Protein backbone atom coordinates (compact mmCIF):
# COMPACT_ATOMS: atom_id res chain seq x y z
CA UNK A 1 0.00 0.00 0.00
CA UNK A 2 1.20 3.50 -0.89
CA UNK A 3 0.48 6.35 1.54
CA UNK A 4 1.21 9.92 0.52
CA UNK A 5 1.63 12.55 3.22
CA UNK A 6 1.56 15.78 1.30
CA UNK A 7 2.41 19.44 1.88
CA UNK A 8 3.65 19.05 5.46
CA UNK A 9 6.43 21.04 7.06
CA UNK A 10 8.92 18.15 6.98
CA UNK A 11 11.94 17.88 9.29
CA UNK A 12 14.63 16.30 7.17
CA UNK A 13 18.44 16.54 7.29
CA UNK A 14 18.33 19.21 9.98
CA UNK A 15 15.92 21.47 8.11
CA UNK A 16 12.23 22.24 7.96
CA UNK A 17 10.85 22.37 4.46
CA UNK A 18 7.48 22.01 2.79
CA UNK A 19 7.65 18.53 1.24
CA UNK A 20 5.80 15.29 0.58
CA UNK A 21 6.61 11.89 2.07
CA UNK A 22 5.68 8.61 0.43
CA UNK A 23 5.30 5.44 2.48
CA UNK A 24 5.21 2.05 0.82
CA UNK A 25 4.01 -0.72 3.12
CA UNK A 26 6.49 -0.74 6.02
CA UNK A 27 9.16 1.60 4.66
CA UNK A 28 9.70 5.08 3.28
CA UNK A 29 9.62 5.13 -0.52
CA UNK A 30 10.48 8.79 -1.13
CA UNK A 31 10.72 12.25 0.39
CA UNK A 32 10.81 15.41 -1.69
CA UNK A 33 8.90 18.22 -3.30
CA UNK A 34 5.94 17.64 -5.62
CA UNK A 35 5.81 13.85 -5.11
CA UNK A 36 2.06 14.30 -5.20
CA UNK A 37 2.15 14.73 -8.95
CA UNK A 38 4.06 11.49 -9.50
CA UNK A 39 2.39 9.14 -7.09
CA UNK A 40 -0.55 6.86 -7.42
CA UNK A 41 -1.22 6.61 -3.71
CA UNK A 42 -3.87 4.41 -2.13
CA UNK A 43 -4.17 6.84 0.76
CA UNK A 44 -3.48 10.57 0.79
CA UNK A 45 -3.02 12.53 4.01
CA UNK A 46 -3.08 16.29 3.68
CA UNK A 47 -0.53 17.61 6.18
CA UNK A 48 -0.69 21.26 5.06
CA UNK A 49 0.17 23.46 8.02
CA UNK A 50 1.30 20.44 10.07
CA UNK A 51 4.72 19.34 11.24
CA UNK A 52 5.91 16.02 9.79
CA UNK A 53 8.88 14.52 11.58
CA UNK A 54 10.78 11.26 11.82
CA UNK A 55 9.31 9.33 14.74
CA UNK A 56 10.92 10.39 18.01
CA UNK A 57 13.51 8.28 19.80
CA UNK A 58 13.35 8.09 23.63
CA UNK A 59 16.29 6.19 25.06
CA UNK A 60 14.92 6.20 28.61
CA UNK A 61 11.52 4.71 29.53
CA UNK A 62 10.21 2.31 32.19
CA UNK A 63 7.63 -0.27 31.10
CA UNK A 64 7.36 -2.33 34.33
CA UNK A 65 6.61 -5.68 32.70
CA UNK A 66 7.39 -8.24 34.02
CA UNK A 67 7.02 -7.56 37.71
CA UNK A 68 5.12 -4.33 38.21
CA UNK A 69 2.21 -4.37 35.77
CA UNK A 70 -0.01 -2.38 38.16
CA UNK A 71 2.17 0.59 37.06
CA UNK A 72 2.45 -0.07 33.30
CA UNK A 73 2.67 -2.82 30.72
CA UNK A 74 4.61 -3.05 27.50
CA UNK A 75 1.31 -2.51 25.70
CA UNK A 76 0.21 0.60 27.63
CA UNK A 77 3.71 2.07 27.77
CA UNK A 78 4.27 1.70 24.06
CA UNK A 79 0.80 3.09 23.28
CA UNK A 80 1.75 6.10 25.42
CA UNK A 81 4.98 6.44 23.41
CA UNK A 82 3.00 6.36 20.14
CA UNK A 83 0.64 9.01 21.54
CA UNK A 84 3.65 11.25 22.12
CA UNK A 85 5.08 10.71 18.63
CA UNK A 86 7.81 8.30 19.81
CA UNK A 87 8.47 5.31 17.55
CA UNK A 88 11.66 3.91 19.12
CA UNK A 89 12.28 3.60 22.86
CA UNK A 90 14.97 2.21 25.14
CA UNK A 91 13.35 0.29 28.01
CA UNK A 92 15.10 0.17 31.38
CA UNK A 93 15.74 -3.14 33.15
CA UNK A 94 14.48 -2.38 36.69
CA UNK A 95 12.04 -5.25 36.28
CA UNK A 96 11.34 -8.52 38.05
CA UNK A 97 13.02 -10.66 36.87
CA UNK A 98 15.88 -8.32 35.92
CA UNK A 99 17.21 -9.02 32.41
CA UNK A 100 20.74 -9.94 33.48
CA UNK A 101 21.28 -13.24 31.63
CA UNK A 102 20.99 -14.09 27.92
CA UNK A 103 17.95 -16.29 28.64
CA UNK A 104 16.07 -13.52 30.47
CA UNK A 105 17.16 -11.05 27.83
CA UNK A 106 15.70 -13.23 25.09
CA UNK A 107 12.42 -13.57 26.99
CA UNK A 108 12.30 -9.79 27.37
CA UNK A 109 12.91 -9.30 23.66
CA UNK A 110 10.11 -11.73 22.82
CA UNK A 111 7.68 -9.93 25.16
CA UNK A 112 8.61 -6.52 23.74
CA UNK A 113 8.17 -7.84 20.24
CA UNK A 114 4.77 -9.38 21.04
CA UNK A 115 3.19 -6.49 22.96
CA UNK A 116 4.99 -3.34 21.80
CA UNK A 117 3.39 -1.05 19.21
CA UNK A 118 6.67 0.87 18.80
CA UNK A 119 10.24 -0.39 18.36
CA UNK A 120 11.47 -1.33 21.84
CA UNK A 121 15.19 -1.56 22.46
CA UNK A 122 15.93 -3.33 25.71
CA UNK A 123 18.60 -2.39 28.25
CA UNK A 124 20.23 -5.25 30.11
CA UNK A 125 21.39 -4.72 33.68
CA UNK A 126 24.98 -3.70 34.45
CA UNK A 127 25.14 -5.93 37.52
CA UNK A 128 23.56 -9.18 38.62
CA UNK A 129 20.05 -8.47 39.91
CA UNK A 130 20.90 -4.73 39.70
CA UNK A 131 22.51 -5.16 43.09
CA UNK A 132 25.67 -3.27 42.15
CA UNK A 133 28.10 -6.04 43.10
CA UNK A 134 28.83 -8.47 40.24
CA UNK A 135 29.10 -7.47 36.60
CA UNK A 136 27.13 -9.37 33.97
CA UNK A 137 28.35 -11.01 30.74
CA UNK A 138 27.88 -8.13 28.30
CA UNK A 139 28.97 -9.94 25.13
CA UNK A 140 26.37 -12.64 25.81
CA UNK A 141 23.70 -10.06 26.67
CA UNK A 142 24.49 -8.17 23.49
CA UNK A 143 24.21 -11.37 21.46
CA UNK A 144 20.80 -11.92 23.11
CA UNK A 145 19.64 -8.48 21.94
CA UNK A 146 20.69 -5.88 24.54
CA UNK A 147 21.33 -2.49 22.92
CA UNK A 148 22.96 -0.97 26.02
CA UNK A 149 23.36 -1.65 29.75
CA UNK A 150 22.07 0.25 32.77
CA UNK A 151 21.21 -0.28 36.45
CA UNK A 152 18.88 2.74 36.27
CA UNK A 153 17.03 3.41 39.47
CA UNK A 154 20.35 3.17 41.31
CA UNK A 155 23.87 4.37 40.76
CA UNK A 156 26.79 1.95 40.90
CA UNK A 157 28.17 2.73 44.35
CA UNK A 158 31.53 1.00 44.11
CA UNK A 159 34.18 2.57 41.89
CA UNK A 160 35.78 -0.86 41.50
CA UNK A 161 32.54 -2.37 40.17
CA UNK A 162 32.09 0.58 37.83
CA UNK A 163 35.65 0.30 36.58
CA UNK A 164 35.21 -3.39 35.85
CA UNK A 165 31.79 -2.83 34.22
CA UNK A 166 33.27 -0.16 31.98
CA UNK A 167 36.16 -2.37 30.90
CA UNK A 168 33.78 -5.16 29.95
CA UNK A 169 31.28 -2.80 28.28
CA UNK A 170 34.09 -1.25 26.23
CA UNK A 171 35.24 -4.71 25.13
CA UNK A 172 31.68 -5.67 24.13
CA UNK A 173 31.15 -2.23 22.54
CA UNK A 174 27.92 -1.64 24.49
CA UNK A 175 26.98 1.83 25.79
CA UNK A 176 26.82 2.02 29.59
CA UNK A 177 23.98 4.33 30.70
CA UNK A 178 24.38 5.42 34.30
CA UNK A 179 21.87 6.69 36.84
CA UNK A 180 24.44 8.84 38.59
CA UNK A 181 23.86 8.88 42.31
CA UNK A 182 26.17 8.53 45.29
CA UNK A 183 23.82 7.16 47.94
CA UNK A 184 26.07 8.28 50.79
CA UNK A 185 25.16 11.89 49.98
CA UNK A 186 21.38 11.39 49.94
CA UNK A 187 20.72 11.49 53.68
CA UNK A 188 17.29 9.88 53.11
CA UNK A 189 16.26 12.93 51.10
CA UNK A 190 13.10 13.04 49.01
CA UNK A 191 13.51 16.47 47.40
CA UNK A 192 16.47 18.66 46.40
CA UNK A 193 18.28 19.99 49.47
CA UNK A 194 17.66 23.75 49.62
CA UNK A 195 15.06 26.37 50.51
CA UNK A 196 12.09 24.32 49.21
CA UNK A 197 13.06 21.33 51.35
CA UNK A 198 13.18 23.67 54.34
CA UNK A 199 9.92 25.39 53.50
CA UNK A 200 8.09 22.06 53.19
CA UNK A 201 10.05 20.58 56.10
CA UNK A 202 11.23 17.63 54.00
CA UNK A 203 14.59 15.83 54.08
CA UNK A 204 16.83 17.10 51.26
CA UNK A 205 19.09 15.13 48.90
CA UNK A 206 22.33 16.88 47.96
CA UNK A 207 23.00 17.80 44.32
CA UNK A 208 26.58 16.70 45.02
CA UNK A 209 25.32 13.12 45.01
CA UNK A 210 25.04 13.44 41.22
CA UNK A 211 28.01 15.61 40.30
CA UNK A 212 30.60 13.95 42.52
CA UNK A 213 29.78 10.51 41.14
CA UNK A 214 29.76 11.89 37.61
CA UNK A 215 33.28 13.24 38.14
CA UNK A 216 34.40 9.76 39.25
CA UNK A 217 32.71 8.10 36.28
CA UNK A 218 34.20 10.47 33.72
CA UNK A 219 37.71 9.76 34.95
CA UNK A 220 37.01 6.02 34.78
CA UNK A 221 35.50 6.42 31.30
CA UNK A 222 38.59 8.27 30.14
CA UNK A 223 40.77 5.33 31.14
CA UNK A 224 38.49 2.52 29.95
CA UNK A 225 37.35 4.21 26.71
CA UNK A 226 33.80 2.97 27.27
CA UNK A 227 30.86 4.81 25.72
CA UNK A 228 29.49 6.31 28.92
CA UNK A 229 25.98 7.78 28.76
CA UNK A 230 24.94 10.00 31.66
CA UNK A 231 21.22 9.62 32.32
CA UNK A 232 19.01 12.56 33.30
CA UNK A 233 21.68 15.10 34.27
CA UNK A 234 20.15 17.80 36.43
CA UNK A 235 22.78 20.13 37.91
CA UNK A 236 24.97 22.94 36.62
CA UNK A 237 28.04 21.11 37.96
CA UNK A 238 27.11 18.04 35.88
CA UNK A 239 26.81 20.24 32.79
CA UNK A 240 30.27 21.72 33.45
CA UNK A 241 31.77 18.26 33.96
CA UNK A 242 30.29 16.91 30.71
CA UNK A 243 31.53 19.99 28.86
CA UNK A 244 35.01 19.38 30.24
CA UNK A 245 34.89 15.66 29.41
CA UNK A 246 33.92 16.35 25.80
CA UNK A 247 36.81 18.81 25.50
CA UNK A 248 39.13 16.03 26.71
CA UNK A 249 37.80 13.68 24.05
CA UNK A 250 36.18 11.34 26.58
CA UNK A 251 33.55 9.18 24.91
CA UNK A 252 30.55 10.59 26.78
CA UNK A 253 26.97 11.40 25.85
CA UNK A 254 24.22 12.65 28.11
CA UNK A 255 20.52 13.27 28.30
CA UNK A 256 18.23 15.77 29.99
CA UNK A 257 14.56 15.19 30.77
CA UNK A 258 11.66 17.50 29.91
CA UNK A 259 10.88 17.94 33.63
CA UNK A 260 14.39 19.07 34.56
CA UNK A 261 14.33 21.47 31.61
CA UNK A 262 10.90 22.89 32.39
CA UNK A 263 10.52 22.83 36.18
CA UNK A 264 12.50 23.75 39.27
CA UNK A 265 11.95 23.20 42.98
CA UNK A 266 10.27 26.63 43.01
CA UNK A 267 7.40 25.09 41.02
CA UNK A 268 6.57 22.72 43.86
CA UNK A 269 3.76 24.54 45.64
CA UNK A 270 2.68 21.82 48.03
CA UNK A 271 3.78 18.45 49.39
CA UNK A 272 2.57 16.73 46.19
CA UNK A 273 4.08 13.39 45.12
CA UNK A 274 3.60 14.21 41.45
CA UNK A 275 6.64 16.48 41.78
CA UNK A 276 8.78 13.73 43.27
CA UNK A 277 11.33 12.15 40.98
CA UNK A 278 14.96 11.11 41.03
CA UNK A 279 17.00 13.15 40.38
CA UNK A 280 14.78 15.77 41.99
CA UNK A 281 13.79 19.13 40.55
CA UNK A 282 16.74 21.45 41.16
CA UNK A 283 17.30 25.22 41.15
CA UNK A 284 16.75 27.91 38.55
CA UNK A 285 20.52 28.13 38.02
CA UNK A 286 20.62 24.41 37.29
CA UNK A 287 17.70 24.71 34.87
CA UNK A 288 19.36 27.63 33.06
CA UNK A 289 22.59 25.63 32.70
CA UNK A 290 20.66 22.69 31.22
CA UNK A 291 18.83 24.87 28.69
CA UNK A 292 22.09 26.57 27.64
CA UNK A 293 23.68 23.12 27.26
CA UNK A 294 20.89 22.00 24.92
CA UNK A 295 21.66 24.79 22.56
CA UNK A 296 25.46 24.42 22.62
CA UNK A 297 25.50 20.62 22.22
CA UNK A 298 26.86 19.72 25.66
CA UNK A 299 23.60 17.86 26.20
CA UNK A 300 23.27 15.35 23.38
CA UNK A 301 19.62 14.44 23.55
CA UNK A 302 16.33 14.64 25.39
CA UNK A 303 14.92 11.50 27.03
CA UNK A 304 11.76 11.40 29.12
CA UNK A 305 12.54 8.92 31.94
CA UNK A 306 8.85 7.96 31.58
CA UNK A 307 8.32 6.42 35.05
CA UNK A 308 4.70 5.41 35.59
CA UNK A 309 3.41 4.40 39.02
CA UNK A 310 -0.04 3.43 40.31
CA UNK A 311 -2.08 6.18 42.01
CA UNK A 312 -1.72 4.69 45.50
CA UNK A 313 2.06 4.47 45.02
CA UNK A 314 2.22 8.22 44.34
CA UNK A 315 -0.04 9.18 47.25
CA UNK A 316 0.91 10.46 50.69
CA UNK A 317 3.19 13.34 49.73
CA UNK A 318 6.96 13.40 49.22
CA UNK A 319 7.80 11.16 52.16
CA UNK A 320 5.66 8.28 50.93
CA UNK A 321 5.34 8.59 47.14
CA UNK A 322 7.52 6.58 44.73
CA UNK A 323 10.10 8.51 42.69
CA UNK A 324 9.16 9.21 39.08
CA UNK A 325 6.72 10.85 36.69
CA UNK A 326 5.39 9.91 33.25
CA UNK A 327 6.68 11.75 30.20
CA UNK A 328 6.03 10.05 26.87
CA UNK A 329 2.68 11.63 26.13
CA UNK A 330 3.50 15.21 27.06
CA UNK A 331 7.19 15.64 26.16
CA UNK A 332 7.03 17.21 22.72
CA UNK A 333 4.07 19.50 23.29
CA UNK A 334 5.51 20.82 26.55
CA UNK A 335 8.98 21.39 25.12
CA UNK A 336 7.54 23.03 22.03
CA UNK A 337 5.24 25.28 24.06
CA UNK A 338 7.67 26.24 26.81
CA UNK A 339 11.06 26.31 25.05
CA UNK A 340 10.43 26.83 21.33
CA UNK A 341 7.45 29.20 21.45
CA UNK A 342 9.25 31.28 24.09
CA UNK A 343 12.35 31.58 21.89
CA UNK A 344 14.74 29.63 24.12
CA UNK A 345 15.34 26.82 21.62
CA UNK A 346 14.79 26.53 17.87
CA UNK A 347 12.31 24.00 16.53
CA UNK A 348 14.94 22.25 14.35
CA UNK A 349 17.22 21.83 17.39
CA UNK A 350 14.37 20.46 19.51
CA UNK A 351 13.54 17.98 16.74
CA UNK A 352 17.20 17.00 16.41
CA UNK A 353 17.35 16.34 20.19
CA UNK A 354 14.37 13.99 19.83
CA UNK A 355 15.32 12.21 16.58
CA UNK A 356 18.73 12.11 14.91
CA UNK A 357 20.70 12.99 18.06
CA UNK A 358 19.59 9.99 20.15
CA UNK A 359 19.90 7.78 17.05
CA UNK A 360 23.47 8.97 16.58
CA UNK A 361 24.41 8.69 20.25
CA UNK A 362 23.26 5.07 20.40
CA UNK A 363 24.28 4.14 16.83
CA UNK A 364 20.75 3.38 15.60
CA UNK A 365 21.18 3.82 11.83
CA UNK A 366 17.53 3.46 10.80
CA UNK A 367 15.88 5.54 13.56
CA UNK A 368 15.28 9.27 13.73
CA UNK A 369 15.40 9.93 10.01
CA UNK A 370 13.16 9.84 6.96
CA UNK A 371 15.20 7.78 4.56
CA UNK A 372 13.96 5.82 1.53
CA UNK A 373 14.22 2.11 2.18
CA UNK A 374 14.19 2.47 5.97
CA UNK A 375 11.27 1.71 8.33
CA UNK A 376 8.46 4.25 7.91
CA UNK A 377 8.50 5.68 11.45
CA UNK A 378 6.92 9.12 11.42
CA UNK A 379 4.75 11.49 13.41
CA UNK A 380 2.51 14.41 12.46
CA UNK A 381 1.87 17.29 14.87
CA UNK A 382 -0.47 20.26 14.93
CA UNK A 383 1.49 23.33 16.01
CA UNK A 384 -1.38 25.82 15.65
CA UNK A 385 -4.27 24.66 17.82
CA UNK A 386 -3.96 25.14 21.57
CA UNK A 387 -5.10 22.21 23.64
CA UNK A 388 -5.24 21.13 27.24
CA UNK A 389 -3.38 18.14 28.69
CA UNK A 390 -6.14 15.88 29.99
CA UNK A 391 -5.65 12.89 32.24
CA UNK A 392 -8.42 11.05 30.39
CA UNK A 393 -6.31 11.21 27.22
CA UNK A 394 -3.37 9.27 28.71
CA UNK A 395 -2.75 5.79 27.34
CA UNK A 396 -0.22 5.13 30.10
CA UNK A 397 -1.50 3.40 33.22
CA UNK A 398 0.49 6.04 35.12
CA UNK A 399 -1.37 9.30 35.70
CA UNK A 400 1.54 10.72 37.71
CA UNK A 401 2.33 13.81 35.66
CA UNK A 402 2.57 17.29 37.17
CA UNK A 403 1.75 18.95 33.84
CA UNK A 404 -1.82 17.62 33.64
CA UNK A 405 -4.24 20.48 33.02
CA UNK A 406 -1.72 22.74 31.27
CA UNK A 407 -2.45 24.56 28.03
CA UNK A 408 -0.12 23.37 25.26
CA UNK A 409 0.55 23.57 21.55
CA UNK A 410 1.93 20.73 19.43
CA UNK A 411 -0.46 17.86 19.92
CA UNK A 412 0.11 14.63 18.03
CA UNK A 413 -2.15 13.97 15.07
CA UNK A 414 -0.79 10.64 13.83
CA UNK A 415 2.08 8.28 14.51
CA UNK A 416 3.29 5.56 12.13
CA UNK A 417 5.60 2.71 13.07
CA UNK A 418 6.98 0.71 10.14
CA UNK A 419 4.16 2.15 8.04
CA UNK A 420 1.46 1.09 10.51
CA UNK A 421 -0.79 3.79 11.98
CA UNK A 422 -0.35 3.26 15.73
CA UNK A 423 -1.85 6.51 16.96
CA UNK A 424 -4.47 8.80 15.50
CA UNK A 425 -6.03 11.80 17.21
CA UNK A 426 -9.76 11.48 17.73
CA UNK A 427 -11.87 14.24 16.18
O1 LIG B 1 12.31 9.03 39.26
C1 LIG B 1 12.77 7.95 38.91
N1 LIG B 1 11.97 6.90 38.66
N2 LIG B 1 14.07 7.84 38.79
C2 LIG B 1 14.65 6.67 38.56
O2 LIG B 1 15.83 6.62 38.45
C3 LIG B 1 13.85 5.42 38.48
C4 LIG B 1 12.49 5.72 38.07
C5 LIG B 1 11.55 4.57 38.26
O3 LIG B 1 11.90 3.44 37.90
O4 LIG B 1 10.44 4.81 38.74
ZN1 LIG C 1 17.45 7.07 36.79
ZN1 LIG D 1 14.80 6.02 34.77
Amino acid sequence: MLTLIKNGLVYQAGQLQKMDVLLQDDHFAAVGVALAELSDADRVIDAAGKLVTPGFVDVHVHYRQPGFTQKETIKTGSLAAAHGGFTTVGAMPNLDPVPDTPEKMEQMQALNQKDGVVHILQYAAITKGRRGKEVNDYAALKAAGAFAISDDGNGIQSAAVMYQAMQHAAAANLPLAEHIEDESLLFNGVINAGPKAQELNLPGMLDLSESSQLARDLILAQRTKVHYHACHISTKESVALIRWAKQQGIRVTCEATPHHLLLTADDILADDGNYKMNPPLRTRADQAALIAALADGTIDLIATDHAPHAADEKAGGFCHAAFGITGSETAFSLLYTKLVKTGQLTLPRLLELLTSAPAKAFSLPTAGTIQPGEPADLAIFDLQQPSQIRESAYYSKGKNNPFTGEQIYGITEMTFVSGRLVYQKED
Side-chain angles (χ1 to χ4, degrees):
M1 180 162 102
L2 274 182
T3 302
L4 176 72
I5 300 171
K6 65 171 191 184
N7 293 326
L9 187 62
V10 179
Y11 178 67
Q12 162 79 338
Q15 310 225 323
L16 284 163
Q17 216 189 318
K18 195 171 151 192
M19 285 198 288
D20 304 327
V21 183
L22 194 61
L23 283 58
Q24 180 168 24
D25 304 321
D26 61 352
H27 60 274
F28 289 118
V31 54
V33 280
L35 293 181
E37 287 148 36
L38 304 173
S39 89
D40 205 359
D42 305 291
R43 170 168 60 172
V44 177
I45 296 166
D46 186 2
K50 307 282 163 66
L51 171 68
V52 176
T53 160
F56 296 153
V57 179
D58 186 353
V59 298
H60 192 147
V61 300
H62 295 269
Y63 285 169
R64 315 302 195 191
Q65 185 186 356
F68 309 95
T69 52
Q70 78 281 9
K71 299 175 192 280
E72 192 77 294
T73 63
I74 294 163
K75 186 73 189 264
T76 57
S78 62
L79 284 169
H83 181 202
F86 291 94
T87 56
T88 298
V89 299
M92 284 297 177
N94 53 341
L95 301 164
D96 187 11
V98 173
D100 58 3
T101 65
E103 295 73 29
K104 285 185 267 182
M105 193 60 218
E106 275 161 18
Q107 285 163 10
M108 228 20 266
Q109 293 278 97
L111 261 183
N112 287 336
Q113 187 69 33
K114 180 168 79 68
D115 286 355
V117 305
V118 301
H119 306 292
I120 303 178
L121 307 168
Q122 182 64 48
Y123 283 92
I126 299 174
T127 63
K128 194 153 185 266
R130 290 180 58 258
R131 286 188 291 272
K133 305 283 188 225
E134 290 165 71
V135 302
N136 292 324
D137 181 346
Y138 304 141
L141 287 164
K142 185 178 182 179
F147 92 112
I149 52 172
S150 182
D151 272 5
D152 184 51
N154 294 96
I156 303 282
Q157 300 306 299
S158 155
V161 173
M162 181 55 105
Y163 179 55
Q164 211 190 346
M166 284 183 175
Q167 286 179 312
H168 291 218
N173 199 20
L174 268 188
L176 186 156
E178 177 65 356
H179 169 111
I180 315 148
E181 183 172 59
D182 182 330
E183 291 169 8
S184 72
L185 290 169
L186 291 179
F187 306 108
N188 298 314
V190 294
I191 188 171
N192 191 42
K196 186 56 73 172
Q198 282 174 347
E199 180 192 317
L200 296 174
N201 197 25
L202 293 168
M205 50 214 290
L206 279 185
D207 55 358
L208 294 172
S209 165
E210 176 177 310
S211 50
S212 66
Q213 199 178 80
L214 178 58
R216 176 201 78 177
D217 285 355
L218 292 171
I219 294 295
L220 297 176
Q222 183 171 41
R223 181 66 58 87
T224 56
K225 301 191 167 47
V226 70
H227 170 196
Y228 176 83
H229 178 75
C231 294
H232 44 56
I233 67 162
S234 68
T235 76
K236 58 186 187 314
E237 290 81 7
S238 296
V239 169
L241 284 165
I242 300 274
R243 195 171 280 133
W244 169 83
K246 288 187 169 182
Q247 283 163 0
Q248 302 305 305
I250 298 171
R251 207 174 153 204
V252 57
T253 55
C254 73
E255 68 191 34
T257 71
H259 47 280
H260 292 112
L261 292 163
L262 302 176
L263 295 174
T264 71
D266 293 350
D267 296 305
I268 306 170
L269 301 180
D271 185 1
D272 174 356
N274 278 337
Y275 289 84
K276 181 180 178 184
M277 70 289 284
N278 193 9
L281 298 176
R282 307 284 193 190
T283 68
R284 280 167 188 263
D286 293 315
Q287 180 193 33
L290 292 177
I291 293 173
L294 283 184
D296 76 13
T298 302
I299 291 174
D300 294 87
L301 59 102
I302 293 173
T304 65
D305 198 2
H306 176 79
H309 293 286
D312 62 320
E313 297 167 327
K314 288 299 282 182
F318 272 82
C319 284
H320 301 281
F323 284 104
I325 66 168
T326 62
S328 300
E329 297 175 84
T330 53
F332 174 74
S333 57
L334 286 166
L335 292 162
Y336 176 69
T337 304
K338 290 169 185 274
L339 292 183
V340 176
K341 277 185 85 73
T342 58
Q344 298 179 80
L345 193 69
T346 68
L347 180 56
R349 177 65 180 149
L350 174 58
L351 295 171
E352 182 181 22
L353 287 159
L354 290 166
T355 60
S356 53
K360 180 170 166 230
F362 283 82
S363 310
L364 311 171
T366 70
T369 159
I370 297 175
Q371 229 169 279
E374 300 298 354
D377 301 336
L378 168 143
I380 304 176
F381 293 92
D382 183 338
L383 302 181
Q384 312 299 332
Q385 286 294 320
S387 175
Q388 198 183 26
I389 299 177
R390 285 179 298 114
E391 181 174 312
S392 60
Y394 292 147
Y395 285 76
S396 173
K397 280 195 181 184
K399 314 301 174 194
N400 48 315
N401 187 310
F403 298 102
T404 303
E406 293 213 16
Q407 177 95 353
I408 42 97
Y409 292 83
I411 63 167
T412 319
E413 295 247 320
M414 287 183 189
T415 306
F416 291 86
V417 173
S418 293
R420 207 162 74 85
L421 186 62
V422 290
Y423 172 76
Q424 180 162 29
K425 190 185 84 177
E426 287 169 27
D427 290 318

